[in-house]
Short mmCIF file of all heavy atoms in Angstrom, two decimals:
data_model
loop_
_atom_site.label_atom_id
_atom_site.label_comp_id
_atom_site.label_asym_id
_atom_site.label_seq_id
_atom_site.Cartn_x
_atom_site.Cartn_y
_atom_site.Cartn_z
N TYR A 155 21.71 147.90 35.45
CA TYR A 155 21.79 146.43 35.42
C TYR A 155 22.88 145.90 36.35
O TYR A 155 22.73 144.83 36.93
CB TYR A 155 22.01 145.94 33.98
CG TYR A 155 20.69 145.62 33.30
CD1 TYR A 155 19.96 146.60 32.66
CD2 TYR A 155 20.15 144.33 33.35
CE1 TYR A 155 18.74 146.33 32.07
CE2 TYR A 155 18.94 144.04 32.77
CZ TYR A 155 18.23 145.04 32.12
OH TYR A 155 17.01 144.75 31.54
N LEU A 156 23.98 146.65 36.50
CA LEU A 156 25.00 146.25 37.48
C LEU A 156 24.40 146.28 38.88
O LEU A 156 24.63 145.36 39.68
CB LEU A 156 26.19 147.21 37.40
CG LEU A 156 27.28 147.00 38.47
CD1 LEU A 156 27.91 145.61 38.33
CD2 LEU A 156 28.36 148.08 38.37
N GLY A 157 23.63 147.33 39.18
CA GLY A 157 22.96 147.40 40.48
C GLY A 157 22.00 146.25 40.68
O GLY A 157 21.92 145.66 41.77
N LEU A 158 21.25 145.89 39.63
CA LEU A 158 20.29 144.79 39.74
C LEU A 158 21.02 143.47 39.99
O LEU A 158 20.55 142.65 40.80
CB LEU A 158 19.47 144.70 38.44
CG LEU A 158 18.28 143.74 38.47
CD1 LEU A 158 17.24 144.17 39.49
CD2 LEU A 158 17.63 143.65 37.08
N PHE A 159 22.17 143.27 39.33
CA PHE A 159 22.93 142.03 39.56
C PHE A 159 23.48 141.97 40.98
O PHE A 159 23.42 140.92 41.63
CB PHE A 159 24.06 141.93 38.54
CG PHE A 159 24.93 140.71 38.73
CD1 PHE A 159 24.48 139.46 38.33
CD2 PHE A 159 26.17 140.82 39.34
CE1 PHE A 159 25.26 138.33 38.53
CE2 PHE A 159 26.95 139.69 39.53
CZ PHE A 159 26.50 138.45 39.13
N LEU A 160 24.03 143.09 41.47
CA LEU A 160 24.57 143.10 42.84
C LEU A 160 23.46 142.86 43.86
O LEU A 160 23.65 142.14 44.85
CB LEU A 160 25.27 144.44 43.12
CG LEU A 160 26.59 144.66 42.39
CD1 LEU A 160 27.09 146.09 42.61
CD2 LEU A 160 27.65 143.67 42.88
N LEU A 161 22.31 143.49 43.63
CA LEU A 161 21.18 143.29 44.53
C LEU A 161 20.74 141.83 44.51
O LEU A 161 20.46 141.23 45.56
CB LEU A 161 20.03 144.21 44.11
CG LEU A 161 18.75 144.13 44.94
CD1 LEU A 161 18.23 145.54 45.23
CD2 LEU A 161 17.69 143.35 44.18
N ALA A 162 20.70 141.22 43.32
CA ALA A 162 20.33 139.81 43.20
C ALA A 162 21.35 138.92 43.92
O ALA A 162 20.98 137.92 44.55
CB ALA A 162 20.22 139.42 41.73
N ALA A 163 22.64 139.29 43.84
CA ALA A 163 23.68 138.51 44.52
C ALA A 163 23.48 138.56 46.04
O ALA A 163 23.69 137.55 46.73
CB ALA A 163 25.06 139.05 44.15
N VAL A 164 23.08 139.72 46.56
CA VAL A 164 22.77 139.83 47.99
C VAL A 164 21.61 138.90 48.33
O VAL A 164 21.66 138.14 49.31
CB VAL A 164 22.40 141.28 48.36
CG1 VAL A 164 21.85 141.35 49.78
CG2 VAL A 164 23.62 142.19 48.24
N PHE A 165 20.57 138.94 47.52
CA PHE A 165 19.38 138.11 47.78
C PHE A 165 19.74 136.62 47.75
O PHE A 165 19.27 135.83 48.59
CB PHE A 165 18.29 138.40 46.75
CG PHE A 165 17.64 139.76 46.91
CD1 PHE A 165 16.64 140.17 46.04
CD2 PHE A 165 18.00 140.61 47.94
CE1 PHE A 165 16.02 141.40 46.19
CE2 PHE A 165 17.40 141.86 48.09
CZ PHE A 165 16.40 142.25 47.21
N VAL A 166 20.56 136.21 46.78
CA VAL A 166 20.95 134.80 46.68
C VAL A 166 21.77 134.39 47.91
O VAL A 166 21.57 133.30 48.47
CB VAL A 166 21.76 134.56 45.38
CG1 VAL A 166 22.43 133.19 45.41
CG2 VAL A 166 20.85 134.67 44.16
#
Side-chain angles (χ1 to χ4, degrees):
Y155 267 86
L156 174 62
L158 189 63
F159 178 76
L160 289 173
L161 180 136
V164 170
F165 289 179
V166 168

